[in-house]
Amino acid sequence: MPFHVRLLASLFVISGLLTILLGLSALALGVGAAALVPSAGANQFVAGLTAAAFSTLAFVALVWGGAHVGVGLPLGKHRRWARQAALLIGTVDLLLVPYGTLLGGYALWTLLRADGRRLFE
């Protein structure tokens, strides 16, 4: 079972880093859209809305990716609180089809089994 927990911890960190990369990309698009607002003429509202949408997506992605990395590292060290946090994040990940569903299902399968629970006691 320690193999599955180490693998899950690695998958959490990798998923988090990729989500942070997505967040940084969305942030760049938000900054680019914001730079177009003054020169958009009649479409200033649309440019502003686009900038706000990309900035919001960037913020959510950066926080969500940071949460995955912040839980994945201590999960590999078998911290008790990290198991609980990974179960919470894994449950929410189930809604993020298709990769989040796989990661969340694997997290629940790994951490809810009897030997997974024993590892964190």
Side-chain angles (χ1 to χ4, degrees), residues 11 20 24-25 39-40 42 50 53 57 59 74 83 88 103 109 114 118:
L11 290 174
I20 289 171
L24 292 174
S25 299
S39 64
T50 303
L57 174 67
F59 175 75
R83 177 185 176 267
L88 178 68
L103 180 60
W109 178 79
R118 251 190 326 267

Side-chain angles (χ1 to χ4, degrees), residues 13-101:
V13 171
I14 291 168
S15 172
L17 292 175
L18 289 174
T19 304
I20 289 171
L21 182 62
L22 174 74
L24 292 174
S25 299
L27 184 62
L29 289 170
V31 169
L36 292 176
V37 171
S39 64
N43 295 323
Q44 282 184 338
F45 174 75
V46 175
L49 187 64
T50 303
F54 277 122
S55 298
T56 302
L57 174 67
F59 175 75
V60 170
L62 290 171
V63 168
W64 193 244
H68 276 79
V69 172
V71 168
L73 294 174
L75 186 67
K77 297 175 183 170
H78 307 251
R79 302 282 192 258
R80 180 179 290 193
W81 67 267
R83 177 185 176 267
Q84 296 167 345
L87 285 170
L88 178 68
I89 290 176
T91 302
V92 176
D93 275 344
L94 290 172
L95 301 173
L96 303 173
V97 177
Y99 303 112
T101 304

